[in-house]
Amino acid sequence: MNTPPRLSGKVAIVTGAGSTGAELSNGRAVAIRFAQEGARVVAVDRSLEAAEATAAAIGDSCLPLQADVSRPEQVAAMVDTCLTELGRVDVLHNNVGIGSLGGPETEARKAWDLLLRVNLKSVLLTTRAVLPTMIAQGSGSIINISSLAGLAYWGVPSVAYASTKAALNQMSRLIAHDHARYGIRCNVIAPGLIDTPTAHLGLLPVYGGDPAELRRRQESLAPARRMGRPEEIAAAAVFLASDESRYVSGVVLPVDGGLATQMVSPECWAIDDARDVEAAT
Ligand SMILES: NC(=O)c1ccc[n+]([C@@H]2O[C@H](COP(=O)([O-])OP(=O)(O)OC[C@H]3O[C@@H](n4cnc5c(N)ncnc54)[C@H](O)[C@@H]3O)[C@@H](O)[C@H]2O)c1
């Protein structure tokens, strides 16, 4: 039996839909998957070239657009173009986010304002811009990409990044609460460690610039003992974008190989598997 595409008839805006490298980013993976599921996709990136590369991978059902989503006038133009060209907006997938490393004495001085603007205020701006249309339609799904760093300490000091992602979780719950009566849902995906071009590159100097050592640590952190794939973020996003999740709102969904369940590093007790304890005791 052929199942129909899960997003057919829908128009989706995906922000940060390009990629900073040749490999898939989370946003590009979502844009491609949404289109495979029948949506018409507006692929937005601050780099037009990156947005066009995503559109080239998709074909006619993708409209590439340049916009810096932290700039109000560019966000307004983005939504205007979407409505003019495609007539509606059913899904807003807020994927843009940038990282930085350090604690309150270092990172907060350098990156605080920038990360608040790019990781948090951008979502306020895009949400504000689509809400009148979604309210008039009586439907809409807003998906915000947060991070496990917004839920727990992930072993790396990143106070500005973690704070913006934690605030994004709560902002999303409030948007969900206040707009449920209009048929609008708002949910969060909190990725763990995902294998994208820029993932954790800032940590390279800590491991002597050795990418293999960084990779070994990235792969060993989650109980699944591997990094996640952008396609696995996209799979969760399809569910939240589709009508299958019509009664799901205000949820923060970790996609993290079980990382959120882990209270301490496994190296603390040097117990890797419950069966090792059973065998020894
Ligand atoms: N990769 C991971 O391990 C991981 C883990 C947790 C959360 N996340 C989150 O996933 C999201 C995407 O991460 P990624 O690793 O795929 O990123 P990425 O850096 O590979 O891609 C992000 C894209 O966003 C674009 N972009 C950046 N700032 C923009 C702006 N102001 N306006 C428009 N476009 C902009 C970039 O040009 C790039 O094409 C981020 O919100 C990030 O915080 C990633």
Side-chain angles (χ1 to χ4, degrees):
M1 191 181 76
N2 281 343
T3 47
R6 295 156 77 188
L7 302 180
S8 77
K10 292 193 190 290
V11 170
I13 296 176
V14 179
T15 74
S19 181
T20 40
E23 304 88 359
L24 268 186
S25 64
N26 291 332
R28 179 169 288 166
V30 167
I32 291 172
R33 184 69 200 281
F34 278 5
Q36 286 169 348
E37 293 292 344
R40 286 176 295 160
V41 176
V42 182
V44 180
D45 205 281
R46 67 179 169 190
S47 154
L48 182 59
E49 204 185 341
E52 284 176 340
T54 300
I58 293 176
D60 288 347
S61 55
C62 182
L63 174 67
L65 219 55
Q66 192 277 328
D68 176 341
V69 289
S70 70
R71 307 271 171 209
E73 65 292 348
Q74 296 191 27
V75 168
M78 167 188 96
V79 175
D80 279 355
T81 305
C82 173
L83 294 176
T84 307
E85 298 287 327
L86 302 173
R88 55 188 294 118
V89 56
D90 301 285
V91 181
L92 170 65
H93 183 87
N94 286 307
N95 162 77
V96 163
I98 54 174
S100 81
L101 301 172
E105 293 143 294
T106 52
E107 182 187 33
R109 220 177 287 150
K110 287 185 300 192
W112 187 261
D113 290 345
L114 175 68
L115 264 69
L116 272 181
R117 188 161 60 78
V118 175
N119 292 1
L120 191 60
K121 191 172 178 193
S122 69
V123 177
L124 184 76
L125 295 174
T126 57
T127 302
R128 189 188 282 160
V130 299
L131 276 176
T133 304
M134 288 185 171
I135 289 171
Q137 288 171 180
S139 66
S141 171
I142 299 169
I143 304 166
N144 295 330
I145 297 298
S146 163
S147 169
L148 208 66
L151 295 173
Y153 184 60
W154 64 293
V156 173
S158 47
V159 69
Y161 181 72
S163 301
T164 59
K165 295 298 191 178
L168 181 57
N169 293 344
Q170 187 61 358
M171 189 166 96
S172 306
R173 290 189 193 100
L174 294 185
I175 291 167
H177 176 270
D178 290 347
H179 295 84
R181 75 195 70 178
Y182 304 114
I184 297 165
R185 302 180 294 109
C186 181
N187 291 290
V188 175
I189 295 172
L193 271 67
I194 310 298
D195 193 1
T196 62
T198 54
H200 325 116
L201 282 186
L203 284 172
L204 257 181
V206 179
Y207 305 111
D210 179 357
E213 181 57 16
L214 175 62
R215 168 58 66 141
R216 190 185 71 72
R217 288 171 187 272
Q218 288 169 314
E219 299 284 5
S220 65
L221 191 63
R225 295 290 180 264
R226 67 171 178 87
M227 294 177 86
R229 297 278 320 145
E231 295 91 334
E232 291 164 333
I233 300 299
V238 168
F239 171 66
L240 294 174
S242 78
D243 295 339
E244 292 160 29
S245 60
R246 65 178 77 80
Y247 207 55
V248 179
S249 198
V251 158
V252 177
L253 175 66
V255 178
D256 67 347
L259 187 54
T261 65
Q262 205 166 274
M263 197 167 72
V264 293
S265 157
E267 280 152 34
C268 169
W269 297 107
I271 296 170
D272 185 47
D273 190 318
R275 279 164 296 202
D276 297 342
V277 179
E278 282 153 21
T281 55

